[in-house]
Amino acid sequence: MAEEANPSNPNNIEMNLTAYGDSKGTQVGQINAAEVKIIVDRIEPILELFQQIPKPESPGVLKAGDSPISLAYWQGRKTEIAQIQQWLTDENTFLIGIEGIGGTGKSMLAAKIYDEIEGFPKRFWGDVRNGASFSDLARQVLTEFGFRVPEQEAKLVEALVKCLRSGQFLLIIDNLESLLQPDRQWGSLFYGDFFNAWVESGGNSKVLVTTRERPELKGFEWLTLKGLQVEEGVALLTALGIRGNLEEFVELVDGHPLLLSLVAGFLKDEYRQDPDLRRLADLGLGNLRQLLTDDRVVGMHRLKNVGMVLVLDASFERLSELQKALLLNISVFRGAVDSTAAVAVLPGTSQTEIERELRNLVKRSLLLEKLNGKRWFEFQPVVLEYARCKAGDQAVVHQQAIDYYRLNVKPAPSWQIREDIKEYLEIFYHSYQLENYDSAFDVLDFCGDFLTLRGYYTDQVDLYSQLIAAWEKIGERENWKYQAALTSLGNAYISLGQYQQAIEFHQQSLDIAREIGDRNSEGKSLANLGLVYLNQGQYQQAIELFQQSKQIATEIGDRNTEGLCLMNLGAAYLNQGQYQEAIELFQQSKQIAREIGDRNSEGKCLMNLGIAYLYQGQYQQAIKFFEQSKQIATDIGDRNTEGKSLGNLGNAYLNQGQYQQAIDFFQQSKQIATDIGDRNSEGLCLMNLGIAYGSLGQYQEAIEFLQQSLQIAREIGDRNGEGKSLMNLGVAYYSLEQYQRAIEFHQQSLEISRDIGDRNGEGKSLMNLG
């Protein structure tokens, strides 16, 4: 009878040829060159993966707080710790990097520093392996260190640098390579800006990172981490309960800590009573010595990577079928998972059984376990890469993950912070992994209003940029969602005050629309470009673009867009002081809105008419239009326009010197802005309250409101609002006769106006300085 083939060894190569027995590591057999090639070819895809930087992932959940790394079996590293301690006490060192291949113990060394180093009363650990955005990291650091929590801002960099300069803090960023593109450039906004700004300013705080790949940055002191010293590796294996010729084995694997731990976990699980290195031959690793000393193998790949893949392969093949499926299926998740999530991607198995098997995988060092209310399980980064490569196509499992998150999403009315939409961000991620970019866009579009109102502009930039890059790669430029993503990306850059980038993406959308003859999209892209120039105070260019957009809308019979173009044209003329022209355009826009039954646009036209009359000093007429606008907004439930109408009523009374009534309206407007999460309008209301109190001569109260307004503008990256808040602070300090402070604020306002191309604001700042 023919011997049955071993399904776990498809090439039918007997691998138990070398044993670790006596001090010489007795050879009991050799495999030839052809057999070596077969083994290497089998593990080649995983080896190639281990030598690459992990791909940046869409913004995910930041693992933050205290160090999650266990130091239970810590050994050695005295030289490395001494070097880092020296840098930590050097007043000219601000950035420290620990670099090394996967599994060398970078995170554990950082954890040792985090837990035991003295001189830092406050410290923060942030693991960014899941593609965490800079905004998430900065906000949580600021919270931990007792600073005001920003929602999202282009100037989070400035806020975090200022925070670190104010004390003696230790900030550790673990797995930094997850944020890098293959060219070592940043895959997420603002990280590079932060590191550069921190090196330039510096302070008593220290920032320490761990990474497999160095970013293209100056100012770091780098420690290249290698394996443990022989005596340290021997001590680790001894502490883990392993017997045999420990010194020889540590030398063989260059003291690689993860590899030593994997071998120990493997042996102890298989041979609890006799975890001796000689047993490796019985576990399919008898030829480990030959492979790790074969020039044809280690000449092409790092020795430690070859060893890890061989050990992981051998360990994986000894798992039960349930354990194998469990390990591979949960690798689709980002971050830690509990047994409920694991059951979702392995249906038909009880939660009790799943949790038991997860804990068995922990015993083999294939997973890590932590308790936080309940049991959570996560991968070592290297093991995660192995599992994902081993799993291959996981389309079905990604879809199961999507179904799991859909069952756990929070209803939109309850959203307050970014954490409330984390399930949707995970749905986006898994849809993206499935290359279902249209569905990923739909998820992002569904969360779009929340992300905009809450000021999460950098998240929008990161996510839309990924979609755009993916569509470009597969040549789907004619997909309307691709164009919509370009538009949304452009609008996010407008919100960040990065007008040149906004122009670039709106121009791309315009070019595509013209290429494919899509007149509708062409008109909308022209209007969006007009809005960028309007925000910059370049009114003539804005007018030309709005007129072109209106012409197209009239030609194709798009009454809605035609009406909006007329409204935007009115806004441009209004800002130029051409009030009568603006009023005529607003009236035309209002007429179209009434004809097509667009109550929302009708209300906005009435509000703009009120502003035009307000600018002319016709306050009663302005109040009449603001009240009409507010009534329509209340009728149709448009809280946004209702709040803005109340704010404008406040402005009308403010200009008449009826300051208390103005304050009442500003407070009502601010409450609505706070309720709906409109940070931009909230900041504007605070600014107006500051102006009102200043008009009452209550300058200290005015300054407090203006400072709050300034803070919000900086948090959400509203450069325009930031400049206006600074200008009004200058006016307040001028009224207090604190002229030097007034000059400082007006100078800052002038610089912002010039940065963003706001000629109107530039002129006012120059006048105030004079």
Side-chain angles (χ1 to χ4, degrees):
M1 179 180 293
E3 184 178 62
E4 183 178 349
N6 179 0
S8 67
N9 187 357
N11 299 305
N12 278 333
I13 298 172
E14 182 57 52
M15 300 178 68
N16 300 343
L17 299 177
T18 305
Y20 290 89
D22 58 33
S23 60
K24 297 179 181 179
T26 306
Q27 298 283 350
V28 296
Q30 290 285 328
I31 52 177
N32 59 37
E35 292 169 326
V36 169
K37 184 178 186 305
I38 291 173
I39 294 172
V40 173
D41 285 347
R42 176 168 56 84
I43 63 175
E44 182 74 29
I46 305 174
L47 289 170
E48 289 295 332
L49 185 66
F50 278 14
Q51 293 181 185
Q52 299 170 8
I53 306 175
K55 291 181 181 178
E57 297 179 338
S58 58
V61 178
L62 172 70
K63 293 167 57 184
D66 287 332
S67 162
I69 310 297
S70 170
L71 299 174
Y73 295 102
W74 176 265
Q75 297 294 336
R77 299 295 197 192
K78 292 180 180 179
T79 303
E80 292 89 342
I81 290 173
Q83 176 62 79
I84 293 175
Q85 282 180 321
Q86 180 183 330
W87 286 331
L88 289 172
T89 55
D90 180 4
E91 62 182 17
N92 295 315
T93 298
F94 310 119
L95 280 171
I96 302 166
I98 303 175
E99 175 198 22
I101 67 170
T104 51
K106 302 180 296 295
S107 298
M108 184 170 282
L109 176 57
K112 183 75 170 178
I113 297 295
Y114 181 93
D115 286 352
E116 299 181 8
I117 201 72
E118 296 180 353
F120 296 94
K122 290 188 178 181
R123 51 197 74 193
F124 184 92
W125 180 284
D127 184 349
V128 298
R129 78 173 73 173
N130 299 316
S133 68
F134 176 77
S135 61
D136 269 3
L137 176 71
R139 283 201 309 276
Q140 292 199 43
V141 172
L142 291 167
T143 303
E144 182 69 20
F145 292 164
F147 284 69
R148 186 179 173 189
V149 182
E151 296 286 338
Q152 170 70 22
E153 61 173 345
K155 284 212 163 183
L156 263 172
V157 169
E158 181 182 335
L160 184 54
V161 168
K162 187 180 294 184
C163 161
L164 293 175
R165 281 181 58 83
S166 71
Q168 193 166 3
F169 306 131
L170 176 63
L171 169 59
I172 292 181
I173 304 176
D174 194 24
N175 296 302
L176 189 72
E177 74 280 346
S178 300
L179 305 171
L180 297 175
Q181 301 281 3
D183 59 1
R184 296 200 291 174
Q185 299 302 310
W186 298 101
S188 183
L189 284 178
F190 301 127
Y191 277 102
D193 294 340
F194 163 67
F195 288 122
N196 286 326
W198 176 238
V199 166
E200 289 176 7
S201 61
N204 292 324
S205 296
K206 305 294 180 186
V207 178
L208 186 151
V209 308
T210 72
T211 183
R212 289 195 225 173
E213 192 79 18
R214 295 187 188 186
E216 293 287 355
L217 284 173
K218 297 178 180 178
F220 270 94
E221 294 289 352
W222 286 104
L223 172 70
T224 300
L225 194 64
K226 299 180 179 179
L228 296 169
Q229 298 293 325
V230 173
E231 62 273 16
E232 297 170 349
V234 169
L236 174 60
L237 288 175
T238 302
L240 291 170
I242 304 303
R243 295 191 288 271
N245 194 333
L246 306 185
E247 182 175 324
E248 180 191 35
F249 187 75
V250 172
E251 286 182 339
L252 177 66
V253 300
D254 283 351
H256 191 275
L258 178 58
L259 185 47
L260 294 174
S261 297
L262 286 170
V263 167
F266 193 13
L267 286 170
K268 286 169 68 177
D269 195 65
E270 292 288 341
Y271 302 105
R272 194 166 305 172
Q273 303 302 318
D274 183 27
D276 195 292
L277 288 171
R278 292 175 302 169
R279 297 286 194 175
L280 289 176
D282 302 325
L283 297 175
L285 290 169
N287 56 17
L288 188 60
R289 162 173 290 280
Q290 181 182 346
L291 287 168
L292 294 185
T293 54
D294 192 310
D295 291 339
R296 291 161 295 183
V297 178
V298 298
M300 296 182 291
H301 302 282
R302 287 172 169 161
L303 178 149
K304 277 78 69 176
N305 287 345
V306 175
M308 270 193 297
V309 174
L310 289 170
V311 172
L312 285 168
D313 250 8
S315 184
F316 181 80
E317 293 304 333
R318 303 283 292 195
L319 298 178
S320 69
E321 291 306 311
L322 175 58
Q323 289 171 334
K324 288 179 182 177
L326 181 57
L327 191 72
L328 299 184
N329 286 14
I330 65 171
S331 72
V332 301
F333 289 109
R334 301 188 295 174
V337 298
D338 60 9
S339 55
T340 305
V343 169
V345 294
L346 208 69
T349 312
S350 74
Q351 191 164 340
T352 302
E353 187 176 7
I354 287 292
E355 183 151 324
R356 182 178 66 248
E357 296 301 350
L358 286 168
R359 298 185 72 182
N360 284 332
L361 292 171
V362 170
K363 292 177 183 177
R364 284 182 174 255
S365 299
L366 295 173
L367 290 178
L368 302 173
E369 180 182 8
K370 63 178 181 178
L371 288 172
N372 184 13
K374 57 181 174 179
R375 294 186 187 279
W376 292 90
F377 303 89
E378 63 182 345
F379 285 90
Q380 289 257 20
V382 170
V383 181
L384 175 62
E385 289 166 24
Y386 169 83
R388 285 181 174 176
C389 188
K390 192 79 175 176
D393 181 9
Q394 289 185 287
V396 172
V397 188
H398 278 297
Q399 187 58 54
Q400 289 171 331
I402 289 172
D403 295 340
Y404 166 73
Y405 284 119
R406 287 199 185 281
L407 291 173
N408 290 280
V409 295
K410 294 181 178 65
S414 66
W415 296 349
Q416 293 294 323
I417 58 175
R418 186 178 178 276
E419 181 75 6
D420 293 333
I421 63 165
K422 66 179 182 180
E423 288 81 13
Y424 284 104
L425 293 177
E426 294 307 313
I427 293 169
F428 174 95
Y429 166 76
H430 289 287
S431 298
Y432 187 89
Q433 296 304 310
L434 288 172
E435 299 182 5
N436 192 343
Y437 306 126
D438 283 8
S439 293
F441 172 87
D442 292 341
V443 172
L444 189 50
D445 189 52
F446 180 69
C447 300
D449 287 345
F450 170 80
L451 291 168
T452 298
L453 287 173
R454 289 292 178 177
Y456 292 100
Y457 306 129
T458 55
D459 277 345
Q460 289 178 307
V461 168
D462 288 346
L463 294 165
Y464 281 119
S465 295
Q466 287 183 59
L467 286 176
I468 288 166
W471 273 317
E472 286 175 348
K473 190 174 181 180
I474 61 177
E476 284 204 21
R477 282 164 54 86
E478 295 184 12
N479 184 337
W480 74 266
K481 292 182 179 180
Y482 172 75
Q483 290 179 264
L486 286 170
T487 298
S488 295
L489 185 55
N491 290 338
Y493 276 118
I494 290 176
S495 299
L496 288 168
Q498 298 183 21
Y499 296 123
Q500 198 51 52
Q501 291 94 326
I503 289 171
E504 177 187 335
F505 287 106
H506 285 311
Q507 186 65 52
Q508 285 184 46
S509 179
L510 175 62
D511 292 343
I512 291 171
R514 285 174 170 167
E515 284 174 19
I516 64 177
D518 184 347
R519 297 282 279 165
N520 188 4
S521 294
E522 181 183 357
K524 288 181 169 61
S525 297
L526 286 164
N528 285 322
L529 279 168
L531 287 171
V532 181
Y533 286 107
L534 183 64
N535 274 280
Q536 288 182 291
Q538 299 182 38
Y539 303 122
Q540 198 52 49
Q541 286 172 280
I543 286 169
E544 291 171 7
L545 289 161
F546 291 143
Q547 286 174 336
Q548 292 177 51
S549 178
K550 176 185 170 295
Q551 181 64 36
I552 291 173
T554 303
E555 289 174 7
I556 65 176
D558 183 356
R559 296 282 279 163
N560 185 35
T561 300
E562 182 182 358
L564 292 175
C565 286
L566 287 164
M567 191 190 304
N568 287 330
L569 278 166
Y573 281 109
L574 186 68
N575 279 282
Q576 287 185 310
Q578 300 181 41
Y579 303 125
Q580 198 53 48
E581 292 87 341
I583 287 170
E584 290 174 8
L585 289 162
F586 291 143
Q587 289 285 13
Q588 292 176 50
S589 179
K590 177 169 70 73
Q591 184 61 35
I592 290 176
R594 282 181 172 170
E595 288 173 8
I596 65 177
D598 184 353
R599 295 275 281 162
N600 189 304
S601 293
E602 181 184 354
K604 289 176 180 173
C605 288
L606 287 164
M607 182 166 60
N608 285 326
L609 280 164
I611 294 170
Y613 282 105
L614 177 66
Y615 282 4
Q616 295 180 89
Q618 299 182 39
Y619 303 125
Q620 291 310 308
Q621 188 75 353
I623 288 170
K624 183 183 75 173
F625 281 119
F626 291 145
E627 287 176 340
Q628 290 178 37
S629 172
K630 175 186 173 296
Q631 187 59 54
I632 289 176
T634 303
D635 290 345
I636 65 176
D638 180 1
R639 295 275 282 162
N640 193 355
T641 302
E642 181 184 359
K644 287 180 170 60
S645 296
L646 286 163
N648 284 319
L649 279 166
N651 280 318
Y653 285 102
L654 179 69
N655 279 277
Q656 294 180 88
Q658 300 180 41
Y659 303 126
Q660 194 53 55
Q661 285 172 282
I663 287 170
D664 291 343
F665 280 116
F666 291 145
Q667 290 285 15
Q668 292 178 58
S669 178
K670 175 182 172 295
Q671 185 59 53
I672 289 176
T674 303
D675 289 346
I676 66 175
D678 184 351
R679 299 280 282 164
N680 193 305
S681 293
E682 183 182 357
L684 184 59
C685 290
L686 288 163
M687 187 194 306
N688 286 331
L689 281 164
I691 294 169
Y693 278 102
S695 299
L696 286 168
Q698 299 179 33
Y699 301 121
Q700 207 53 52
E701 290 88 343
I703 287 170
E704 289 176 9
F705 280 115
L706 291 169
Q707 287 285 8
Q708 291 177 52
S709 172
L710 176 63
Q711 180 69 18
I712 287 178
R714 285 176 169 168
E715 286 168 6
I716 66 174
D718 178 6
R719 297 279 279 162
N720 196 337
E722 182 183 358
K724 287 183 170 61
S725 296
L726 288 164
M727 185 188 300
N728 284 303
L729 278 165
V731 171
Y733 280 106
Y734 175 84
S735 299
L736 287 170
E737 299 183 4
Q738 297 185 31
Y739 301 125
Q740 190 54 46
R741 295 207 69 183
I743 287 170
E744 290 170 4
F745 282 115
H746 286 311
Q747 189 66 50
Q748 291 177 57
S749 176
L750 174 63
E751 290 172 3
I752 288 175
S753 295
R754 286 175 172 169
D755 284 348
I756 68 176
D758 180 1
R759 297 283 286 166
N760 191 6
E762 183 180 357
K764 289 178 179 177
S765 294
L766 287 166
M767 183 174 65
N768 286 327
L769 278 165

